[in-house]
Amino acid sequence: MKKLIFLHIPKCGGSTIRDKIIQRYSAAGRVFKLYNDNPRQDYYTPRTLTKFLAENEELPKTVKSIIGHISFEELSLLIDMKGWEIFSVVRDPIDRAISNLNYMRINQNHRGNSHAMKVTENSLYSYLCSLDGALQSKFLGGG
């Protein structure tokens, strides 16, 4: 079995890939999960992964998949990427931005909720124009 890294770009169908494919077919301890804004008991953030690696020097040999909201560049600074198959899913950037805006609106505890609630039909175009053009490319190693 090849070792697999899935760079999960938010609002690009990644939860389905994570839940229905990667985790479903991986035994316990074989998937290393990295989610910056959704830490759970067995989820790591880049900061806690750095701490884990400082204490353990490397990932457990049982780990066959890494998934999460982390950029290629950030992950490549933490682990040796040789020997890993790496993939991601991208989406039309406008559709992705609107989907993310709606997600922030319906999730009252999301850190962007108050900002998202201020975007109106009249200000949507300005909102979309103000976004960094690298919405998806930052996850894939773009600047």
Side-chain angles (χ1 to χ4, degrees):
M1 174 185 213
K2 292 184 179 185
K3 297 191 301 182
L4 185 68
I5 294 174
F6 172 54
L7 302 175
H8 180 178
I9 301 171
K11 307 315 296 168
C12 290
S15 296
T16 299
I17 291 170
R18 179 194 66 212
D19 297 343
K20 302 293 183 189
I21 299 172
I22 295 175
Q23 287 186 182
R24 184 175 180 186
Y25 296 105
S26 295
R30 295 183 68 161
V31 178
F32 202 87
K33 296 168 262 179
L34 294 166
Y35 284 93
N36 298 333
D37 58 357
N38 191 16
R40 297 182 186 165
Q41 186 175 1
D42 61 341
Y43 280 36
Y44 290 83
T45 66
R47 191 184 89 234
T48 58
L49 173 58
T50 301
K51 182 179 177 186
F52 176 90
L53 293 173
E55 294 170 358
N56 300 286
E57 296 187 21
E58 63 182 25
L59 293 172
K61 300 286 186 214
T62 58
V63 172
K64 300 299 179 199
S65 298
I66 299 172
I67 60 175
H69 293 164
I70 189 168
S71 71
F72 176 86
E73 181 179 27
E74 192 172 18
L75 187 58
S76 68
L77 294 173
L78 298 173
I79 67 166
D80 181 4
M81 305 287 267
K82 292 178 189 160
W84 292 87
E85 297 288 329
I86 304 163
F87 80 102
S88 192
V89 176
V90 294
R91 182 177 180 184
D92 176 278
I94 302 291
D95 289 345
R96 181 194 173 278
I98 291 171
S99 178
N100 193 51
L101 184 64
N102 289 331
Y103 179 79
M104 291 186 296
R105 284 181 168 186
I106 62 172
N107 291 287
Q108 294 179 351
N109 293 329
H110 192 283
R111 66 176 181 249
N113 176 267
S114 61
H115 175 73
M117 297 305 286
K118 295 175 188 170
V119 178
T120 65
E121 184 177 339
N122 292 331
S123 66
L124 178 60
Y125 180 77
S126 296
Y127 167 77
L128 294 172
C129 290
S130 70
L131 295 174
D132 180 359
L135 279 174
Q136 295 175 132
S137 68
K138 74 173 189 169
F139 283 94
L140 306 174

